[in-house]
Amino acid sequence: MYTLDEGYFYEKLGELMAIDSTTGFYRPIQDYVKKEIEKLGMLPEEYHKGGIQTVIGGEGNTLLYTAHLDDIGLMVRKINADGTLTVVKVGGLHEDSAIGENVRIYTRDGRIYTGSIQKIHSSVHVSEDSDFNQEPNWAKNVCVVLDEDVETATSVEELGITVGAVIALEPRLVVSNGYIKSRFLDDKVCAAVMLCMMKEIKEKNIKLNREVIAHFSCYEEIGHGTSVLPERVKDVVALDIACCGPRQTSHEKKVTVLAMDTRFPYNYDLSNELYNTGKAAGLDIVYDIFTPHYGSDGDTSIVAGHDIRHAAIGQGTRNSHGYERNHIEGIRQLYSLAMEYITKME
């Protein structure tokens, strides 16, 4: 069984988390991954729309492992008369899981400001119950308050903040007793896992049973991350979170093979190959189904019309699209499965 280099993993995870990457705002994190690929002595290939990949090794029957770099976030929809910002979500960010969070606002000309997400009626002491208990709604009663001396729309505009400015939430990465808590573990944990795989394969000159591409997509959260693929790709395996919940088999200390998500079932043969590889390696592995709000970059490739088999695997994750939580054991299991499959499976 392969062993995750946890020192390197935590280092890369911390660096990835420190880079804001709301979907569409991909350049800083893509540039970071490009440098990491080059440090490992591999050749980065950038997609015109955003996204980056490299060939890890092997020959023939090409498999593409993909993890996404983009995060859910917000964009400025309107500058209000009182200097607050009405926002629209980018990806599946629910109001309930975002209220109270600190944010960074990126202007179109490169300036950065800070603020926080608040309900318009945000103070218990001076709000009627009928106001305070309203269902939060981005368009109606939730806003971003800037950490600036602004009280008019004009004063906000003078800062360079316009409609279309990107807003990124503070991740707040915390590691405690093997548990990893942060926003955007979906999917920066898996991106860090792929960097760990690349490092071990390169340094130990590990032989792969087929050509393997490591692909880092930048548009998974809005549904077109791997819509473009090299023509030679035969299989796509998405490394993504496995959501924990009352109806689920996924667990923070296990690795999951997805059987189906909101869109459709995953390829039966490829999913079985992954599951059987994990079982043979002694991993704590389960199948699971994620509905009604889940899709992966493997799905994207199918919808785009590529003749490929697709599957998805992931570490058990609590509180998805909120302040998420993993355990390092589930990440170890994911790492072992991904490595076993490309070195043992014929």
Side-chain angles (χ1 to χ4, degrees):
M1 187 182 300
Y2 289 92
T3 301
L4 176 71
D5 181 341
E6 293 180 23
Y8 185 75
F9 167 77
Y10 282 121
E11 177 186 336
K12 297 300 115 178
L13 180 62
E15 291 170 357
L16 287 163
M17 285 296 183
I19 304 172
D20 292 329
S21 55
T22 302
T23 303
F25 187 66
Y26 67 88
R27 180 55 62 186
I29 199 161
Q30 181 167 306
D31 288 347
Y32 164 82
V33 171
K34 181 180 180 180
K35 290 178 182 177
E36 292 303 305
I37 291 171
E38 291 171 339
K39 285 179 186 177
L40 293 171
M42 299 179 182
L43 180 64
E45 304 172 72
E46 296 183 83
Y47 282 80
H48 184 60
K49 71 172 184 178
I52 189 167
Q53 67 184 31
T54 190
V55 175
I56 303 177
E59 296 180 359
N61 192 25
T62 303
L63 163 70
L64 184 140
Y65 273 140
T66 179
H68 67 88
L69 300 172
D70 58 317
D71 301 328
I72 55 176
L74 300 166
M75 188 174 281
V76 175
R77 178 69 180 85
K78 179 187 176 185
I79 301 172
N80 300 317
D82 64 354
T84 63
L85 307 175
T86 295
V87 295
V88 62
K89 66 180 181 179
V90 179
L93 180 63
H94 281 251
E95 295 90 340
D96 281 331
S97 67
I99 291 170
E101 191 58 86
N102 292 319
V103 299
R104 280 178 286 275
I105 301 94
Y106 288 82
T107 70
R108 291 278 170 160
D109 61 4
R111 285 176 274 183
I112 305 171
Y113 298 97
T114 62
S116 59
I117 302 169
Q118 297 180 12
K119 292 180 71 174
I120 291 173
H121 295 283
S122 59
S123 178
V124 172
H125 294 89
V126 293
S127 299
E128 299 291 342
D129 289 344
S130 58
D131 291 327
F132 195 78
N133 294 333
Q134 286 181 4
E135 188 75 17
N137 184 289
W138 293 121
K140 296 178 180 179
N141 55 19
V142 178
C143 64
V144 166
V145 178
L146 293 166
D147 299 331
E148 299 289 334
D149 294 329
V150 290
E151 296 183 0
T152 66
T154 300
S155 58
V156 173
E157 291 165 355
E158 288 172 351
L159 298 176
I161 296 173
T162 63
V163 170
V166 170
I167 301 175
L169 281 66
E170 178 64 40
R172 291 187 291 119
L173 176 63
V174 174
V175 179
S176 178
N177 196 31
Y179 289 97
I180 304 168
K181 300 182 291 184
S182 183
R183 293 187 184 274
F184 317 132
L185 298 179
D186 173 15
D187 196 30
K188 286 176 175 172
V189 162
C190 293
V193 163
M194 286 221 302
L195 290 172
C196 290
M197 293 171 62
M198 294 157 59
K199 179 175 181 287
E200 182 170 13
I201 291 165
K202 181 69 174 180
E203 290 182 350
K204 297 181 180 178
N205 196 27
I206 295 172
K207 185 179 185 301
L208 306 182
N209 56 35
R210 59 196 302 188
E211 183 185 41
V212 179
I213 296 173
H215 179 272
F216 299 86
S217 75
C218 293
Y219 294 94
E220 192 272 352
E221 294 293 2
I222 58 171
H224 66 88
T226 55
S227 56
V228 181
L229 292 177
E231 290 185 6
R232 68 188 186 277
V233 172
K234 299 297 183 183
D235 294 332
V236 171
V237 176
L239 277 63
D240 211 332
I241 61 168
C243 306
C244 299
R247 298 182 299 172
Q248 308 306 129
T249 58
S250 296
H251 187 279
E252 287 172 286
K253 295 185 179 181
K254 298 181 181 182
V255 61
T256 297
V257 176
L258 277 67
M260 187 174 81
D261 64 22
T262 304
R263 287 169 174 162
F264 30 64
Y266 286 86
N267 183 271
Y268 195 81
D269 294 334
L270 180 55
S271 298
N272 282 350
E273 288 173 12
L274 287 157
Y275 182 86
N276 292 335
T277 298
K279 274 295 184 185
L283 301 179
D284 199 348
I285 189 168
V286 295
Y287 285 116
D288 210 346
I289 292 172
F290 298 144
T291 59
H293 304 296
Y294 190 104
S296 77
D297 266 335
D299 294 339
T300 302
S301 301
I302 295 293
V303 172
H306 295 284
D307 182 17
I308 52 108
R309 301 188 305 173
H310 83 305
I313 58 177
Q315 76 283 6
T317 303
R318 294 181 64 92
N319 201 32
S320 63
H321 278 201
Y323 189 61
E324 298 164 339
R325 193 178 84 159
N326 285 165
H327 192 278
I328 190 62
E329 181 56 31
I331 298 165
R332 293 172 186 145
Q333 299 275 320
L334 172 64
Y335 182 82
S336 293
L337 174 60
M339 288 293 290
E340 291 283 339
Y341 184 71
I342 55 174
T343 56
K344 300 297 196 317
M345 181 71 192
E346 295 299 333

